[in-house]
Amino acid sequence: MTTTDLALGVLGYGLRGSLARTAHRPGNGARVTLLADPDPAAREKAATDLPGVRTVADHRNVVADRSIDAVLVLTPDHTHAELACQALRAGTPVFLEKPLEITVEACDTILRTAYETGTPLYVGHNMRHMPVVRLMRDIVARGEIGAVKAVWVRHFVGYGGDWYFKDWHAERRHTTGLLLQKAAHDLDVLHWIAGGYTRTVQALGDLMVYGGNPHRRAPGEPKTADWYTRDGHWPPSTQRDLNPVIDVEDVSLVNMRLDNGVLAAYQQCHFTPDYWRNYTVIGDAGRLENFGDGPGAVVKVWNSRRSGYRADADAEHAVPDAQDEGGHGGADPLLIDEFVRFVRDGGRTDTSPVAARMAVAAGVRATESLRDGGRPRDVPPLDPDLAAYFDRGQTARTRN
Ligand SMILES: NC(=O)c1ccc[n+]([C@@H]2O[C@H](COP(=O)([O-])OP(=O)(O)OC[C@H]3O[C@@H](n4cnc5c(N)ncnc54)[C@H](O)[C@@H]3O)[C@@H](O)[C@H]2O)c1
């Protein structure tokens, strides 16, 4: 392994510019050297945050630049296929933010382009590196609850009004819907823990709170400086300066049957006061549930006997502290560590482009179902040649 830093290009320096800052570690394996964002304010901020970075307006001046070893694509969801495929075709390894894209067809275009060009593709599903997720998966793998039969996830998106109804997230043309936009994380985790992919999906949903809020910005008017506050903007009716167009749902309920028979449910609400995720995984010999999902959280396991509710579970596992205080419970630095290792050495990774595609496919079909009175939908499988290519670690051909 070389000790030289990887030279990273970056596309997009908005909120997720945080990940570019995490990846910028001069002398420690990677540094951001070239960055594109059409927004002059974003470029100015990047130049301050990332000393030595060269900034440009047009992403085409980054994707094929021979001075970079890889590119991080941190732009809005509906741009992913176009930008990632340009980089893949130029032979530049890609880190692509989740969700992979906003349609099944666009996802498959990305995977096919990676397959045909042989250029490494890594999808940034950081939740696979979150301590609470890894703990739950380890408990399942140790057999503490027997064979998994059901997974139910409740997602309380307390900052939904700030994060998702004030910019591009609020419009179908940029996201398909928030069910896909946000749930791509949890559908991926749910598939990972359950050991299967969704085959059939059915959903209900509605725009219940933000749709009736008349306090919208005029088209083209930028977000206000106080668009996000940790403690303010409560209750949701006090929200102001929302996106001019809001045509996505703010609550959704999804039921799924996986290809290994597991039954799963996912529920998302953008107007709760609290922001966290609650998972329960039920096996044929026990049940686990997380209480909190960040520092100080625990995962409880009940598996010794039947009873009424017992707060004192049979086992209580503390969620390990993050090794690093970086974003998403310490997941982001680990995500970048894995990506840098993947670019240098190749091989398998905990995140998976195939799983990323299957999470989007389930989210897209669920969104179709909820906009069609809850009629069930089948989730299309991925082309087996593509699945095999990624499953063997993106190496060109199977050995005979
Ligand atoms: N993994 C996570 O936990 C997580 C968290 C937040 C966002 N995301 C994902 O990260 C991506 C970016 O989200 P965000 O919240 O930072 O959005 P954002 O709107 O805050 O920032 C996007 C930036 O991309 C720029 N951009 C648009 N088109 C571009 C182009 N062609 N070339 C270069 N730059 C371009 C915009 O000017 C903007 O500065 C999205 O896909 C989002 O879903 C992931």
Side-chain angles (χ1 to χ4, degrees):
M1 178 167 128
T2 172
T3 51
T4 315
D5 288 338
L6 286 185
L8 298 177
V10 171
L11 307 184
Y13 197 72
L15 214 58
R16 205 56 182 140
S18 59
L19 202 63
R21 295 191 289 279
T22 300
H24 188 62
R25 29 175 93 159
N28 286 301
R31 69 175 72 204
V32 177
T33 56
L34 182 58
L35 180 145
D37 197 304
D39 178 356
R43 293 200 298 279
E44 201 176 311
K45 180 163 167 46
T48 309
D49 293 346
L50 306 166
V53 73
R54 184 158 60 90
T55 64
V56 294
D58 191 330
H59 67 264
R60 288 170 298 187
N61 293 327
V62 173
V63 288
D65 191 294
R66 301 321 308 167
S67 74
I68 58 167
D69 298 308
V71 66
L72 312 184
V73 180
L74 313 178
T75 55
D77 304 355
H78 68 290
T79 67
H80 286 182
E82 189 190 340
L83 302 192
C85 289
Q86 284 183 23
L88 291 168
R89 282 195 291 267
T92 307
V94 170
F95 173 104
L96 182 54
E97 257 301 351
K98 59 51 64 184
L100 186 56
E101 246 284 355
I102 69 169
T103 66
V104 178
E105 296 71 24
C107 288
D108 289 357
T109 298
I110 297 170
L111 297 199
R112 185 162 298 285
T113 304
Y115 171 68
E116 287 174 356
T117 59
T119 310
L121 169 68
Y122 182 95
V123 187
H125 270 283
N126 50 353
M127 274 189 71
R128 287 195 177 210
H129 290 281
M130 267 175 75
V132 66
V133 168
R134 295 180 86 90
L135 174 59
M136 291 190 291
R137 193 166 179 272
D138 288 349
I139 291 169
V140 168
R142 287 198 296 266
E144 288 190 36
I145 61 168
V148 173
K149 297 295 175 191
V151 186
W152 303 339
V153 181
R154 298 185 300 165
H155 190 180
F156 310 106
V157 193
Y159 294 106
D162 287 4
W163 296 99
Y164 302 107
F165 292 90
K166 292 183 175 170
D167 62 15
W168 55 269
H169 294 86
E171 299 188 43
R172 294 181 187 194
R173 65 192 174 117
H174 295 137
T175 60
T176 293
L178 291 176
L179 169 51
L180 163 61
Q181 214 291 323
K182 279 303 278 176
H185 277 303
D186 297 277
L187 295 175
D188 176 54
V189 167
L190 187 157
H191 288 159
W192 202 37
I193 290 176
Y197 291 128
T198 299
R199 179 170 285 167
T200 313
V201 68
Q202 181 276 330
L204 296 176
D206 209 340
L207 178 58
M208 293 182 134
V209 170
Y210 297 101
N213 187 324
H215 302 285
R216 311 287 176 94
R217 302 191 314 278
E221 193 183 327
K223 284 202 278 193
T224 55
D226 70 342
W227 65 273
Y228 164 72
T229 64
R230 181 147 283 278
D231 302 316
H233 300 169
W234 179 260
S237 59
T238 64
Q239 286 283 11
R240 298 291 179 268
D241 303 307
L242 297 174
N243 199 58
V245 175
I246 296 179
D247 62 5
V248 293
E249 294 75 15
D250 53 16
V251 62
S252 51
L253 322 173
V254 184
N255 294 316
M256 288 157 272
R257 184 183 287 280
L258 275 53
D259 54 13
N260 59 0
V262 169
L263 286 174
Y266 168 84
Q267 296 154 8
Q268 177 187 104
C269 181
H270 286 262
F271 44 88
T272 59
D274 47 344
Y275 188 121
W276 67 294
R277 295 166 158 97
N278 172 257
Y279 280 64
T280 190
V281 185
I282 307 173
D284 59 6
R287 178 172 91 79
L288 70 73
E289 181 172 351
N290 68 300
F291 294 86
D293 57 8
V298 295
V299 176
K300 296 187 181 187
V301 177
W302 294 268
N303 59 5
S304 70
R305 60 190 167 90
R306 298 188 313 194
S307 70
Y309 174 66
R310 282 188 284 131
D312 57 331
D314 295 304
E316 184 169 315
H317 303 271
V319 173
D321 281 343
Q323 291 168 354
D324 187 309
E325 286 308 303
H328 296 94
D332 286 350
L334 297 170
L335 186 77
I336 292 296
D337 289 350
E338 184 172 67
F339 174 65
V340 168
R341 199 265 301 147
F342 173 66
V343 172
R344 283 191 194 285
D345 306 330
R348 291 190 170 77
T349 55
D350 282 346
T351 64
S352 152
V354 172
R357 184 273 188 193
M358 294 309 295
V360 171
V364 165
R365 290 296 183 264
T367 305
E368 288 173 10
S369 172
L370 74 76
R371 291 177 186 158
D372 184 27
R375 278 204 294 179
R377 290 286 195 284
D378 288 335
V379 177
L382 178 64
D383 177 338
D385 283 348
L386 294 183
Y389 169 73
F390 288 101
D391 284 347
R392 63 176 181 261
Q394 305 188 35
T395 51
R397 294 283 175 265
T398 333
R399 277 197 210 105
N400 288 320

